[in-house]
Amino acid sequence: MNLRLFKMNSLRFKITVLAILILAVILALYSSFTFFYFHKMLYNELDNSLKMKAQRIHNAVNAYIDVLGSDPKSFRFAASRVVARTGQHPHMNKVQKLENLWMSQVNESGFQKDYVLFLNSKSEVLARSSNLYSDVAPLFSKEIRSALSGHTVLKNQKLLKEEMRLIFRPAAYKNGQKCVIIVATSRERLIQMAKERLIIEMICVGLILVIALFFSQLFVRRIMAPIQEIIQSAKNINYKDLSMRISTDDIDLEMKDLVDALNEMMLRLERSFNYILEFSSHVSHELKTPLAIIRAESELALRGEHSPEEWRRVVSDNLEEAKRMASIIEDMLLLTRLDYQPHVFKFESFDLIEFFREMEEPIKLLAFEKNIHAQMSLAGNCATFHGNKTHLRRLFYNLVNNAIKYTPANGEIILEVQCKDEEAVIKVSDTGIGISKENLAKIFDKFFQVGGMDVAGDASTGLGLSIAQSIVKMHRGRITAESQLGKGTTFTVWLPLF
Ligand code: ADP
């Protein structure tokens, strides 16, 4: 047997102990029940035989009375003949016949080893069996009283150093005499049989428990085997290859749940790890250019003599690059939180139509500055929309800003909000330069900019649409873009209302 079993904190130990305990309780209950049933049966049998013996004594006394008459003398004689076989009667011939019959019954019933007492209604001993030397009647005054009042009493008592079972049987005779017949028989055999039965049952229970312990060990080891496999597989997974998963083939249902949970955890870890890799590579890549510009500008400036205007230009260029770097870092941090910690953003209930109405003025102002016509159409009822106002504002300003940025003067932008039963559909359309099919597939990628930073302008980081998409996802919605080069672009956002 494996020594691991004896480690108290091992699952194998606990399962085995639990199984054995349950089995032990069941077996104890079962064997107690069978033992008590057996015990009761033994006593029933003994009591029935005692009742029969008392009945025979009663019948025999009656038979004597029938023959000899029921005067007190004959009655006393009958009792003593039946119980102790003593005394002489004038009509001994008739008595002889009776006694032959009586003796055959006595032999049959095995009275020889029993103690018999025959008491009258005053609890006086009329007759006692010859093997009973001392007067035991005073010991049983309560039982005798009860028998005289017509109740048969059965009782265990140690008598003459022997464990006995006694019957106190009421008996009434023709002469009006009320008597008590007491028969005591040994219950030593019964006790012996009960003891033997108990020992056999205990041995059986013990054996069953040992066998169960052995088999439960085998079963538990088999059940636990997949855990070892899982441990081995888990050990093989390391940071170099987080894509490995623990196989769920041929695995128990409960273990499958565990493996699925572990695999899901691995997936989350892999995603986080990849995100960190992606984040650091993007940030370092994006920061490389502005840093290179700052360095080159500074080195060049330090080489020769420069006028104050030239110094001012260098410092102002460097400041622009520093701002850009700060903005990249800020956007990346926001993206990380949106994607990986969406729960940190507080949601509130508000009217979505009201929310867009508040944005109408500033949007029109922004568009007006570039001589673009902006219009807004609001329809339906979204009074109980649930979301994060700050980030939704950021999302739609972003879309509108892009629309204004990529639409030439005299163009038009339309913001259309339609609240339906289960979702709000928001469209931001423009009549701008549009996006080619090829680029349309990439515009939600981080740092993607059509034509590069120079075209998009200094403030652009290429993260605007990635952030927009993450904000939409945080609200369990979706965002798509349709565009035609030279004609314009439409961004559609679906936001669920519940
Ligand atoms: P940026 O900060 O450069 O605007 P975005 O993620 O917001 O970054 O946009 C990514 C690219 O998608 C932009 O560089 C631009 O080329 C394209 N784009 C976004 N919105 C529009 C639009 N309304 N019309 C045309 N092109 C757009």
Side-chain angles (χ1 to χ4, degrees), residues 418-431:
Q418 210 177 353
C419 285
K420 298 186 179 166
D421 284 348
E422 289 179 351
E423 60 185 2
V425 185
I426 303 111
K427 289 186 178 190
V428 180
S429 321
D430 62 61
T431 54

Side-chain angles (χ1 to χ4, degrees), residues 72-294:
K73 210 171 153 195
S74 294
F75 183 72
R76 184 176 280 276
F77 171 78
S80 54
R81 283 304 287 185
V82 169
V83 174
R85 295 191 31 77
T86 57
Q88 287 283 328
H89 197 274
H91 309 294
M92 234 11 222
N93 287 345
K94 290 181 193 168
V95 170
Q96 212 72 55
K97 273 191 197 164
L98 261 176
E99 281 181 350
N100 288 343
L101 181 71
W102 161 238
M103 278 315 288
S104 67
Q105 285 192 4
V106 164
N107 290 338
E108 212 179 273
S109 308
F111 272 112
Q112 291 90 340
K113 287 179 187 164
D114 297 336
Y115 301 116
V116 185
L117 264 178
F118 199 96
L119 309 180
N120 66 11
S121 56
K122 290 176 190 151
S123 303
E124 292 164 352
V125 179
L126 289 186
R128 81 159 69 107
S129 58
S130 50
N131 54 0
L132 196 59
Y133 306 112
S134 58
D135 186 7
V136 293
L139 292 174
F140 305 111
S141 48
K142 202 175 111 208
E143 289 78 10
I144 292 166
R145 266 203 311 280
S146 181
L148 281 171
S149 61
H151 304 293
T152 300
V153 180
L154 287 151
K155 187 182 177 56
N156 291 336
Q157 175 83 35
K158 197 163 184 168
L159 209 62
L160 305 172
K161 294 183 182 164
E162 218 182 327
E163 286 297 340
M164 305 295 280
R165 181 83 173 155
L166 295 100
I167 186 167
F168 300 80
R169 184 194 187 281
Y173 295 96
K174 288 172 188 160
N175 58 359
Q177 183 78 281
K178 273 190 175 175
C179 298
V180 178
I181 300 167
I182 305 173
V183 184
T185 194
S186 169
R187 58 184 188 99
E188 297 282 352
R189 211 181 122 254
L190 182 148
I191 293 171
Q192 189 58 30
M193 280 171 78
K195 261 188 198 163
E196 280 169 12
R197 170 85 186 212
L198 195 64
I199 291 169
I200 289 171
E201 279 192 1
M202 280 165 72
I203 292 171
C204 287
V205 168
L207 273 175
I208 292 172
L209 288 180
V210 170
I211 294 168
L213 181 71
F214 175 74
F215 280 106
S216 65
Q217 261 302 288
L218 289 184
F219 287 132
V220 170
R221 196 177 302 176
R222 280 200 66 166
I223 293 167
M224 292 290 161
I227 290 188
Q228 287 305 322
E229 285 170 30
I230 293 169
I231 293 171
Q232 205 42 53
S233 309
K235 276 182 182 167
N236 292 337
I237 297 168
N238 59 35
Y239 73 97
K240 284 181 193 152
D241 187 5
L242 285 169
S243 63
M244 259 181 82
R245 296 289 177 268
I246 302 165
S247 162
T248 49
D249 301 339
D250 303 327
I251 212 164
D252 298 326
L253 206 62
E254 293 81 357
M255 293 294 174
K256 192 175 173 298
D257 290 345
L258 173 72
V259 171
D260 283 345
L262 279 171
N263 282 341
E264 274 167 32
M265 186 188 79
M266 289 305 304
L267 183 73
R268 286 197 299 275
L269 275 176
E270 190 189 8
R271 281 186 60 209
S272 309
F273 201 77
N274 288 345
Y275 190 83
I276 293 166
L277 275 181
E278 190 191 358
F279 178 86
S280 47
S281 72
H282 272 148
V283 168
S284 55
H285 181 262
E286 288 305 309
L287 295 185
K288 228 189 260 169
T289 319
L291 273 173
I293 295 171
I294 292 173

Side-chain angles (χ1 to χ4, degrees), residues 398 402-403 405-406 430 433-435 443 448-450 456 460-466 489 491:
N398 207 335
N402 277 349
K405 190 160 48 171
Y406 299 106
D430 62 61
I433 57 170
I435 309 164
I443 52 169
F448 178 78
Q449 289 177 312
V450 178
S460 304
T461 58
L463 287 171
L465 286 179
S466 300
T489 308
F491 283 91

